[in-house]
Amino acid sequence: MNTRETLTAFLEEHRKENPVSFHMPGHKGRRFYEKYAPEAAALFDRSPDYDITEIPGADNLFQPETVIRRVMDRYRSLYESRETYLLVNGSSAGLMAAILTAVPQGGKLIMARNCHKSVFNGARLGGITPVYAWPEIIEEYGICGEVTAEEVERAVSEAPEASAVLVTSPNYYGICSDIEAIARVAHGHGMVLIVDQAHGAHLQFMEKRLAAERAGADIVIDSTHKTLASFTQTAIANICSDRVDLDVFQDRLQMLESTSPSYLLMASLDLNAQILESHGVELMEQWRENLTYFYRRYKEIPGLSLMTHPALDPTKLNLDMSALGLTGAGLEDELIKRGIYTELTTGNIAMAMTGIGNDRSDYDRLLAALAEISEGAAASGISSYTSNESLNHDMTGICGLSCIKRQADSPKPETVSVPDKTEPIHYTETAGRISAGLIIPYPPGIPLVCPGEVMEESVLRYAFELRRQGEKVIGMTADGFVRAGV
């Protein structure tokens, strides 16, 4: 790649390379819009002219009555919800608004320990005490699996005064939890069920049996940009029951969303809804056919396997070539050399996130690249294909939250309050100290350490190793400092 001195230069040069996107956003680029929404050409060509504010006739996101109201109604119909709100600050704003709606100030929230960082931030904003439900661990890959209804029941028994339950389904790797069973537990104790379905906005149309909207959730947050066709930073909040006060939710959302919402982002939400209305059935069928094609063809490639799970969203392709000596990071490197970009790596997995905009040619290029990598490994020997910079599998298990397993298998002390006074401290000196913030590899955005938790040097050493290798770890400086309570 050439040196890219400006953001716009980077974006243009990346576009010219004709890359294959198996990462978010779901539309995968202009090609999709040109085929299914020709009217989008005007949005692209005239975007500076479409970048307006709340002039007469343009409606208002916080008092929608005309054109924006009609977009909301489209989504309400598509998802069969009681009400749907447009989100222009991502799913993060919707999740925080949901928490602040369902849980009173200073209350308690039953939440999965592998939630996205926005859930932890929402709890902090409301002075809310988290009570963790612990996900199962898939030992083979060192990642979190589903959160069971039995585990939610255990957490509820620990804090029966909690007001709500919040779980992520599907998780980043596509593993879904039994939302119907979890809903029975939550509602049986008078609690609201919030589901972070950021990675499953397509499930309502493609795998309805896995969709939280159909399984009894009260609030479902969907990142339409991740797998569908709206622009990055857009999402929707589906209110699915009368357990939620709409006025309170809208009030909390206004506290968190920008007072200058982008009409370009809202227009992309409108386009996405129109595409689903006009071509949704056709697009979902094509997506299924392409996935079936890939799942059949990948078996022909020596050394390639895919992670399986009984409740796996099939649109997430968790690629594993460890049989050839390749870690997930090593496989990602080899794919990038061939112009293919995946969403994330963990341990031996490189996860290819398919989306509504991937066509057959993308899958063919991915299969061809994987076959070439496999042939190269056979010809040159395993060692030359193993990334020296990649973490070993045992250490990567920490990133997969094997630290959670240790915590889940031991007595569960209540998370302490974060001290008002904090100081930066090197990770090698943190033993027994209380974390004052989140420490999060990104992606996937799941905290290794949460505010109020006692820090473990082994976990922080892993985070520092990630930083050393150039990965993003929010909450830790490049030289290994984190914030701890004094």
Side-chain angles (χ1 to χ4, degrees):
M1 290 186 182
N2 297 330
T3 302
R4 304 168 181 187
E5 296 181 352
T6 66
L7 176 58
T8 50
F10 170 87
L11 293 171
E12 177 58 18
E13 292 198 20
H14 181 70
R15 181 194 70 82
K16 288 179 178 177
E17 291 171 359
N18 190 29
V20 175
S21 166
F22 281 105
H23 55 79
M24 62 182 78
H27 57 72
K28 311 302 181 184
R30 185 173 185 138
R31 174 189 67 187
F32 174 80
Y33 294 107
E34 289 175 341
K35 184 173 183 179
Y36 294 103
E39 65 274 21
L43 175 61
F44 302 141
D45 295 340
R46 303 166 192 164
S47 57
D49 298 327
Y50 285 15
D51 190 15
I52 62 170
T53 190
E54 293 89 345
I55 59 175
D59 209 354
N60 188 304
L61 181 61
F62 302 115
Q63 193 176 52
E65 295 173 342
T66 56
V67 289
I68 294 175
R69 176 69 256 179
R70 287 193 281 276
V71 181
M72 294 168 62
D73 289 342
R74 286 194 181 98
Y75 281 105
R76 184 162 53 87
S77 176
L78 286 163
Y79 283 87
E80 303 172 80
S81 65
R82 177 186 170 205
E83 181 61 285
T84 296
Y85 295 91
L86 308 185
L87 304 176
V88 294
N89 287 64
S91 284
S92 295
L95 286 165
M96 289 188 283
I99 293 166
L100 297 177
T101 297
V103 185
Q105 187 80 18
K108 289 188 176 182
L109 170 68
I110 308 293
M111 57 178 281
R113 175 55 177 76
N114 64 325
C115 281
H116 185 262
K117 68 170 186 171
S118 58
V119 175
F120 294 88
N121 289 337
R124 290 184 72 184
L125 285 174
I128 294 164
T129 300
V131 179
Y132 295 135
W134 304 88
E136 294 187 338
I137 301 297
I138 300 177
E139 298 282 359
E140 180 182 0
Y141 293 103
I143 66 172
C144 289
E146 65 182 305
V147 177
T148 66
E150 292 75 17
E151 174 57 18
V152 172
E153 183 73 67
R154 183 208 58 76
V156 168
S157 69
E158 193 177 297
E161 70 277 24
S163 302
V165 174
L166 197 158
V167 297
T168 302
S169 180
N171 66 16
Y172 216 139
Y173 305 93
I175 298 171
C176 298
S177 296
D178 188 343
I179 298 303
E180 188 172 353
I182 293 172
R184 286 196 294 269
V185 173
H187 297 158
H189 293 274
M191 299 179 186
V192 170
L193 175 59
I194 304 166
V195 176
D196 175 0
Q197 195 174 254
H199 286 272
H202 59 287
L203 294 178
Q204 167 71 2
F205 316 104
M206 192 170 186
E207 293 286 337
K208 190 167 283 195
R209 66 185 177 85
L210 299 174
E213 287 90 351
R214 307 277 64 79
D218 300 298
I219 306 176
V220 183
I221 309 299
D222 293 287
S223 278
T224 50
H225 77 89
K226 283 183 168 62
T227 56
L228 297 178
S230 62
F231 289 178
T232 298
Q233 201 173 311
T234 58
I236 57 172
N238 286 320
I239 310 301
C240 302
S241 80
D242 58 8
R243 295 182 183 87
V244 181
D245 188 318
L246 297 181
D247 291 333
V248 174
F249 183 84
Q250 191 166 3
D251 175 71
R252 301 301 184 268
L253 193 57
Q254 290 184 47
M255 294 167 60
L256 296 162
E257 293 234 83
S258 170
T259 57
S260 300
S262 167
Y263 273 81
L264 298 175
L265 294 181
M266 289 188 285
S268 80
L269 279 165
D270 189 22
L271 278 173
N272 180 61
Q274 292 180 51
I275 291 169
L276 290 172
E277 288 174 338
S278 301
H279 304 285
V281 174
E282 168 195 354
L283 284 164
M284 295 303 150
E285 185 57 34
Q286 288 179 9
W287 199 348
R288 288 189 195 95
E289 289 176 358
N290 287 332
L291 288 168
T292 299
Y293 172 77
F294 181 87
Y295 280 108
R296 184 177 69 250
R297 292 285 308 281
Y298 92 86
K299 296 176 184 177
E300 302 169 4
I301 301 173
L304 173 63
S305 63
L306 263 63
M307 186 186 80
T308 60
H309 189 276
L312 181 68
D313 169 12
T315 70
K316 306 296 190 296
L317 306 177
N318 293 286
L319 309 170
D320 180 354
M321 296 190 90
S322 58
L324 301 177
L326 275 168
T327 63
L331 176 55
E332 178 188 49
D333 289 343
E334 293 298 326
L335 288 170
I336 289 174
K337 292 175 185 176
R338 294 160 175 82
I340 297 171
Y341 292 78
T342 57
E343 175 65 24
L344 84 160
T345 66
T346 299
N348 290 331
I349 292 172
M351 193 270 276
M353 180 186 289
T354 71
I356 197 171
N358 285 119
D359 65 17
R360 181 61 63 89
S361 67
D362 294 336
Y363 294 90
D364 279 331
R365 282 184 63 181
L366 177 59
L367 286 163
L370 292 167
E372 185 178 283
I373 293 166
S374 174
E375 292 168 5
S380 60
I382 287 175
S383 61
S384 65
Y385 266 74
T386 303
S387 172
N388 292 328
E389 286 297 306
S390 298
L391 300 176
N392 66 54
H393 182 67
D394 291 338
M395 182 59 82
T396 304
I398 295 177
C399 185
L401 302 187
S402 63
C403 55
I404 286 181
K405 180 169 173 41
R406 292 200 303 275
Q407 294 170 319
D409 290 345
S410 60
K412 302 174 181 61
E414 184 175 348
T415 302
V416 302
S417 298
V418 180
D420 292 332
K421 293 184 178 181
T422 67
E423 63 178 353
I425 185 171
H426 196 263
Y427 81 90
T428 57
E429 301 173 349
T430 55
R433 299 290 294 271
I434 304 299
S435 175
L438 293 164
I439 300 173
I440 312 169
Y442 217 94
I446 299 167
L448 289 174
V449 182
C450 299
E453 290 184 347
V454 176
M455 292 185 275
E456 295 184 35
E457 184 181 336
S458 61
V459 175
L460 296 176
R461 183 171 64 253
Y462 170 74
F464 179 68
E465 183 65 14
L466 284 177
R467 280 293 258 143
R468 190 184 68 80
Q469 294 184 17
E471 299 293 330
K472 304 294 187 297
V473 181
I474 297 170
M476 174 178 278
T477 65
D479 51 359
F481 280 81
V482 298
R483 294 205 71 83
V486 175

